[in-house]
Each structure stands twice: as C-alpha cells, then as structure tokens.
Amino acid sequence: MATLRGKGSMKSVELVVVEYPNAHSKDGKRVFLDAMVRPVEGVAPQRVPHLVSTKKELDGKTVFDHQAGYSASQRDAFVAAAGDNIVQMPERNGRPGPTVYAIQADVVPASGKQRGLVINSKTVKPSELEPIDENILDTIYASSKAAAEADKARKAAEKEAQTEAAAEAQAPEPEVEEVAEIDEPEF
C-alpha cells in the first residue's frame, strides 16, 4: 500500500486510476478501481504505489488485490475530472485492456469492510501533470521497482554500518609497545 507520511501528504495527491473492463458489480452500482500514486518529480517514489494492497490466496497462489469499491457516481466524477486525460490500454492476451485516467484528489483511510486508502470523491480535480499515455503503467512500475531497490540498498548499508559499529565496539584495543629512546649516533 502507498505510504503517505507527513502533514499534507494525503492532500491533492496525483493519482492514476485503472479501471478493468470486468471490475463492476453485477448490478452495476459499484465499480472496483485500482488507484495508484503517480510518480512526481522531486518526491520520493512509492515502493508500492497502490492505495490498496490486500494479500489473498487464490488457487494455492498468493495474489494481491489492489482494487477498492466506489459507487458508479463516484467513478463518473473521476472520469469527468480526468477530462481528456484518459487512455485506453491495448489488448493483452486477447482481452481488452483497462481504461486508465489521471486525476488529483485527497486520499483518506478506508472505512467499513475496505482496507487501505481511498479517493475522497469530493476533492477530485484534473491532474496538474502532463497528460498520460500508454506507457504510464510501465513508468509507475519502473518507479516503484527503483524505489524498492533503493530501499533494499539503504537497508543493506544500514545493516553493514551496524555490523561495523558492533565489530569496532568488540575489537580489543591494540597494545602499543613502548619504544625506548635511541640515541642517534654522532658523526
């Protein structure tokens, strides 16, 4: 799940919303959307950009569900705010690709049965970043991979520093030999 820490970090968040073709309830009243924090210049990238990340077991495999349920009217508000900043992703494996759109909104902790963070539909407005294209998901995934690698490297460096500090604390002081003064020969 995305990590938003600090005062104001959950306000006016640049988001990319992914809507899969089959992510609607049977009655059409609920839409399940995968919202992700969009990489922004000068802001540390997210290791996990999804607002929701729920671990599940499916057919003996561990999978992650990144979707949160929104009403059809909330989804319509998101699409209206996105305006022309919408991309229909290409087909994959003979299946239609998702619709992806960029918006800006406040995010809030989910309530009820949902977990993670959700979009506050009352604060939705158009994205202030450049329009998205078919590469936006690749950009987000590359950014999160780089963040994960940087985090891993940072943790390894911290562990190495702790190990060195512990080794220095345990190492005995080297004994210093006293050297007798030697008179220099006279010429």
Side-chain angles (χ1 to χ4, degrees), residues 173-178:
E173 291 283 327
E175 291 185 29
V176 179
E177 291 182 30
E178 287 189 34

Side-chain angles (χ1 to χ4, degrees), residues 12 17 20 87 134 165 183:
S12 297
V17 181
Y20 294 95
V87 173
E134 291 85 15
D183 289 334

